[in-house]
Amino acid sequence: MKNFLMGNELIALAAYNAGVRSAYAYPGTPSSEILEYFSKISDEVYAQWSINEKIALELAGAEAISGKYVLCSMKQVGLNVAADPFFSIAYTGVKGALVIASADDPGPYSSQTEQDSRMYAMSAKLPVFDPINPEDAYFLTKKAVDLSHKYEIPVMIRPVMRVCHSRQSIDVDIEKNNLIISNSFEKDTARWAATPKFRKQLHSILNQKLKDISNKYYKEFKINKKSDFAVVGSGYSFAMAMDIVAEDGLNIDLYKLDLPFPLSDELIKSLLEEYEKILVIEETQPVIEMQFARRDKVFGRLNDFITNMGELTYQYLQSKLYQFLGKQNEIEEFDVNVKSAKPRLCPGCGHRPAFYAIKKVAKNRGIFPGDIGCYTLGVNLEAVDTCICMGASVTFAEGLKRANNDKVVIATIGDSTFFHTGVPALINAVANDSKIVLAILDNETTAMTGFQPVPHKHKKISIERVVKGCGVDFCKTIDPYDFDGSIRLLNEAIEYSEKNSTPAVVIFKHPCITKIKYKGKKKVVITDKCKNCKICYEKFECPAIFEDKLANAAKIDELLCVNCGVCMSVCPFDAIAYVDEVDDEV
Ligand code: SF4
Ligand code: SF4
């Protein structure tokens, strides 16, 4: 039966159809739908949103060394967090099967970097598949599971965002397989608890496995020469190159390399022997290209023929293919930079008044380290000064305070991110007497990536108790809609922290507005006291307020406004007010 499925869904389905019954992940664009879909395939699967990628991969690894078939998914920068077990499990290998789906973000559209997960695979010496479209992702995931089991080695699949989020009609469905998976842990300390001496042996075994994999996988590879020019590559950008060559009738031979690492020596040798010029198309780093040692014939990123940043667009690749053939005058070269609209926090979002209060209390003496989540948008409200990686707001706060003792340092972190990597950083700040204020923005969900659950969702864990367990004595919670109360509490926290040489924590607790679909009963309007000072729509930046140029005043868009009333606290002229009751509470 034909199904119209997203790349991420097809990865999950393929893993299930190949025998995977357990999956672990931490949410992140563009990989989140893999675990979501996997969890719904059947009652017999186990799917866990772990608190970070390191934990997800370690849990997956533990099951896989017990003989189970397991999937672990994450976004590219998540692999940085999981890098430690990733490298180590490469040596020990697995017993059942372990597929790591690391989704990349050329562009980048929602990441801090454009790093290429395939480089990690190469560095850890693990095979990596790079699908060109959702259908390819399905078949390559199945191959990844098989390869992992056959060679007892973790295998990576690396889809880029366009593959993860595209949909394709494909004739696949849930398969019941009769695979007999033995799942019991067999003790073997020389392998699973290897000392450095045994690690060297494991490394040698891994090297041999890689050689076998590259030779066997590319055993059937054949040169089919019709031109002196060849394009080789993998991933979504290669799919576009294939389309351009077909549509424009270009005289180029194409070689799709499903497994960009490891490539076989024989494949590289025969391509170099047969072709005058070889263009490598891949995103975002030269993983394939680096394996072609000769530089005189090979074109790509290493000789600056292909840009070293940004997503490769259709138009850009078209211009490069023409240039490669010496026909550059026939087509214009395109700029790879795409312009996008400025993102803002939603109307009624509790983060907005929290940030506004933080900025107000610290005035010109504040430094504001921020973190990863939709609340990074606090940068628009001038209440986020740094954003490095998950959990870094707290460590950066400690370091910034040490280097700038005369400043007030207020860090912000979301609830999910706090559990992800914020907790060790807070313990470090307490142990080192850091005079910082940490604002935990608790909206009870992992909002930016699609509302995945947070650890404290079922009240088994409380942020307050965790904070106190980290050694923090000052930990108070407030609803950020109480703007004046927030100002008072932040001032109290600053004073406590400075006086006692220790972190103080304020938890701003308000459920995500898009999740609860809140609409306040009292309607909020802008009155004729408005002086059009622009504070509510430019500084406070509520998307429901805009400038009415004809009236020379601010105006509220009733469709967007949720009547939260917070803007009333920020207007210096008392020009925003409730008017009457409205009926509709959604
Ligand atoms: S903050 Fe008040 S005075 Fe200023 S533009 Fe908004 S409503 Fe008008
Ligand atoms: S009440 Fe004010 S702050 Fe709240 S959504 Fe409406 S315009 Fe925005």
Side-chain angles (χ1 to χ4, degrees):
M1 191 181 85
K2 286 263 183 199
N3 276 303
F4 190 55
L5 293 172
M6 197 191 265
N8 280 342
E9 295 169 344
L10 284 163
I11 290 170
L13 183 60
Y16 179 85
N17 286 347
V20 171
R21 293 294 179 271
S22 295
Y24 297 86
Y26 183 79
T29 308
S31 66
S32 303
E33 298 82 4
I34 298 175
L35 191 91
E36 271 163 16
Y37 191 80
F38 184 83
S39 68
K40 292 175 196 146
I41 290 178
S42 144
D43 290 343
E44 59 177 336
V45 304
Y46 178 75
Q48 182 188 108
W49 287 118
S50 309
I51 68 163
N52 68 34
E53 296 84 352
K54 179 179 188 291
I55 287 172
L57 184 53
E58 287 164 357
L59 289 164
E63 284 215 49
I65 71 165
S66 304
K68 297 268 282 276
Y69 285 29
V70 195
L71 175 68
C72 181
S73 60
M74 59 193 73
K75 69 173 294 183
Q76 55 176 30
V77 292
L79 190 55
N80 300 341
V81 180
D84 220 351
F86 183 74
F87 278 74
S88 194
I89 296 171
Y91 276 32
T92 62
V94 295
K95 270 289 182 193
L98 173 56
V99 171
I100 298 151
S102 181
D104 282 358
D105 185 20
Y109 290 90
S110 61
S111 309
Q112 304 98 293
T113 68
E114 294 188 285
Q115 66 187 66
D116 186 333
S117 295
R118 300 175 310 155
M119 293 293 269
Y120 264 113
M122 204 176 185
S123 184
K125 300 191 171 178
L126 288 180
V128 54
F129 288 98
D130 190 3
I132 62 167
N133 58 31
E135 184 178 32
D136 207 33
Y138 178 83
F139 291 109
L140 294 185
T141 303
K142 282 187 106 177
K143 282 189 181 176
V145 177
D146 292 345
L147 199 68
S148 174
H149 181 61
K150 187 169 172 200
Y151 287 91
E152 297 195 353
I153 189 175
V155 175
M156 182 192 280
I157 180 147
R158 188 294 295 250
V160 295
M161 182 272 285
R162 303 271 174 199
V163 172
C164 293
H165 288 166
S166 308
R167 286 186 180 272
Q168 205 166 349
S169 181
I170 158 169
D171 199 2
V172 290
D173 217 329
I174 297 172
E175 292 167 14
K176 289 277 169 208
N177 62 48
N178 298 318
L179 222 121
I180 298 172
I181 295 171
S182 73
N183 59 333
S184 66
F185 176 67
E186 286 169 22
K187 293 187 186 226
D188 179 358
T189 46
R191 184 173 178 188
W192 310 127
T195 55
K197 180 181 144 203
F198 289 112
R199 287 273 160 181
K200 200 172 163 195
Q201 287 172 15
L202 292 175
H203 191 178
S204 163
I205 295 167
L206 177 60
N207 287 339
Q208 193 51 52
K209 283 180 186 174
L210 276 185
K211 234 181 192 10
D212 289 355
I213 288 169
S214 59
N215 288 336
K216 291 209 176 103
Y217 194 85
Y218 284 112
K219 203 171 71 189
E220 309 295 325
F221 180 81
K222 292 263 173 311
I223 298 283
N224 183 13
K225 192 165 189 286
K226 295 187 184 122
S227 163
D228 290 331
F229 302 97
V231 171
V232 301
S234 67
Y236 181 78
S237 53
F238 188 76
M240 283 191 291
M242 288 163 71
D243 285 350
I244 296 161
V245 168
E247 283 162 17
D248 293 12
L250 302 179
N251 183 25
I252 296 177
D253 293 345
L254 293 161
Y255 295 96
K256 170 178 173 275
L257 306 176
D258 298 341
L259 190 73
F261 179 80
L263 294 178
S264 82
D265 294 344
E266 206 45 50
L267 172 151
I268 294 168
K269 195 168 149 244
S270 43
L271 281 165
L272 285 169
E273 272 172 11
E274 291 295 336
Y275 288 95
E276 267 177 37
K277 280 166 75 178
I278 297 168
L279 173 61
V280 185
I281 291 184
E282 57 186 330
E283 285 177 319
T284 51
Q285 285 174 286
V287 167
I288 293 173
E289 201 183 338
M290 280 193 292
Q291 294 171 81
F292 281 78
R294 269 179 66 180
R295 302 259 45 86
D296 56 328
K297 285 188 169 189
V298 180
F299 290 71
R301 292 173 192 264
L302 292 176
N303 65 351
D304 293 331
F305 186 78
I306 299 282
T307 178
N308 263 322
M309 60 178 188
E311 190 182 33
L312 302 179
T313 62
Y314 185 96
Q315 291 86 350
Y316 177 80
L317 283 173
Q318 193 178 35
S319 73
K320 285 291 160 186
L321 284 163
Y322 277 76
Q323 199 180 330
F324 178 61
L325 290 174
K327 298 176 163 191
Q328 57 264 51
N329 296 335
E330 292 182 23
I331 195 136
E332 263 179 57
E333 189 160 326
F334 268 77
D335 185 359
V336 286
N337 299 314
V338 178
K339 289 194 178 71
S340 55
K342 183 182 173 190
R344 293 186 290 177
L345 294 166
C346 306
C349 173
H351 298 341
R352 178 175 287 105
F355 279 122
Y356 207 73
I358 287 167
K359 192 178 82 170
K360 199 158 179 180
V361 294
K363 293 198 182 85
N364 299 326
R365 58 184 180 137
I367 304 178
F368 311 120
D371 222 297
I372 308 289
C374 48
Y375 53 89
T376 310
L377 295 175
V379 75
N380 297 350
L381 295 148
E382 298 168 353
V384 166
D385 292 325
T386 66
C387 178
I388 302 296
C389 62
M390 291 187 76
S393 61
V394 192
T395 27
F396 261 61
E398 185 189 331
L400 284 164
K401 181 67 183 176
R402 193 154 297 123
N404 304 273
N405 192 37
D406 57 324
K407 299 281 188 197
V408 169
V409 178
I410 308 178
T412 46
I413 193 166
D415 43 357
S416 186
T417 311
F418 175 65
F419 286 111
H420 180 277
T421 29
V423 173
L426 182 58
I427 293 171
N428 200 71
V430 172
N432 292 288
D433 308 321
S434 184
K435 295 182 279 183
I436 58 168
V437 174
L438 174 63
I440 300 177
L441 307 173
D442 178 9
N443 61 1
E444 298 173 351
T445 188
T446 315
M448 191 171 74
T449 52
F451 309 111
Q452 290 81 13
V454 280
H456 56 305
K457 184 176 171 233
H458 299 297
K459 316 286 177 215
K460 283 184 264 184
I461 297 165
S462 106
I463 295 183
E464 287 88 346
R465 288 211 305 272
V466 172
V467 167
K468 291 202 167 159
C470 292
V472 175
D473 290 327
F474 187 105
C475 176
K476 296 190 180 177
T477 301
I478 192 164
D479 184 334
Y481 276 16
D482 176 1
F483 187 72
D484 294 337
S486 298
I487 298 271
R488 279 195 300 276
L489 185 55
L490 281 166
N491 276 322
E492 201 190 322
I494 294 166
E495 202 185 316
Y496 183 92
S497 171
E498 291 289 338
K499 206 166 142 194
N500 296 284
S501 293
T502 190
V505 172
V506 174
I507 302 171
F508 287 105
K509 192 176 179 66
H510 195 90
C512 174
I513 195 83
T514 54
K515 191 112 171 78
I516 57 168
K517 297 190 169 47
Y518 171 85
K519 186 97 179 173
K521 283 192 170 175
K522 289 181 175 172
K523 188 173 169 182
V524 176
V525 293
I526 292 178
T527 67
D528 56 11
K529 287 189 198 167
C530 175
K531 303 269 187 268
N532 200 14
C533 69
K534 303 180 193 285
I535 284 176
C536 55
Y537 57 86
E538 281 192 356
K539 297 279 180 208
F540 188 62
E541 211 187 40
C542 178
I545 312 178
F546 61 97
E547 182 182 18
D548 180 344
K549 286 209 162 90
L550 277 179
N552 190 26
K555 193 167 180 186
I556 288 179
D557 179 335
E558 283 185 35
L559 285 176
L560 291 178
C561 176
V562 299
N563 297 329
C564 69
V566 178
C567 52
M568 293 193 294
S569 306
V570 304
C571 174
F573 300 101
D574 288 331
I576 310 179
Y578 286 125
V579 279
D580 53 17
E581 299 274 324
V582 291
D583 302 329
D584 53 332
E585 187 158 13
V586 184

